[in-house]
Amino acid sequence: MEMNEMTKYLMLVASSIDNYCKYLNKDVNDYSTILGYVYRVYQDKIRKVSPQGIGLIMIYLKEIDEKDYEKYIDAYKDKVDDIIKNSKTLDEQFAKMDKIKSKIDKKTTKE
C-alpha cells in the first residue's frame, strides 16, 4: 500500500498526539474531532507546522471553546516548533505552552 504525502503527514500528527496522550494519561480518541475541525477550518494557518507541533497544539485546544481556536492557533503556530526544538523534556514544552496559553487567556478574559 502506497501512501501519499498527506496521509504520511496525518499519521505523524496522530502518532504525536498519541505520544502526548500517553505521557499525560489522556484518551487519544478525544482529539480526532478537534484535529479534523482544525484541518478543515485552519489548514492554511498550520501548513508550516511540524506534525509534532500540530500534536502539541491539539493537546492545548482540547480545553478551549471551538470559537476561540483561531486566537490560540495564531499564538502557537509560529512558536510551537521552536518550543519543541529548544525544550529538553516534555514538561518543559508544556511549561512554555502554558505561558503562551496564560497570556491568551488573560486577553480573552479582558474582552
Side-chain angles (χ1 to χ4, degrees), residues 34-84:
I34 298 168
L35 181 60
Y37 179 81
V38 167
Y39 267 104
R40 279 191 312 278
V41 179
Y42 302 109
Q43 185 173 14
D44 288 341
K45 289 183 178 269
I46 60 172
R47 180 169 288 157
K48 295 180 181 172
V49 179
S50 72
Q52 187 177 356
I54 297 294
L56 186 53
I57 290 171
M58 291 304 110
I59 295 299
Y60 278 81
L61 291 181
K62 172 84 169 67
E63 305 302 321
I64 304 301
D65 191 315
E66 201 174 88
K67 70 178 176 52
D68 293 325
Y69 281 3
E70 186 169 18
K71 66 179 106 181
Y72 287 86
I73 290 170
D74 285 344
Y76 293 138
K77 68 182 170 84
D78 295 328
K79 297 176 181 104
V80 70
D81 286 331
D82 284 335
I83 287 171
I84 292 167

Side-chain angles (χ1 to χ4, degrees), residues 18-29:
D18 184 58
N19 289 336
Y20 284 119
C21 285
K22 285 177 182 169
Y23 184 80
L24 296 169
N25 199 27
K26 294 181 180 258
D27 184 355
V28 72
N29 294 315

Side-chain angles (χ1 to χ4, degrees), residues 79 88 99:
K79 297 176 181 104
K88 290 182 173 77
K99 251 183 169 171

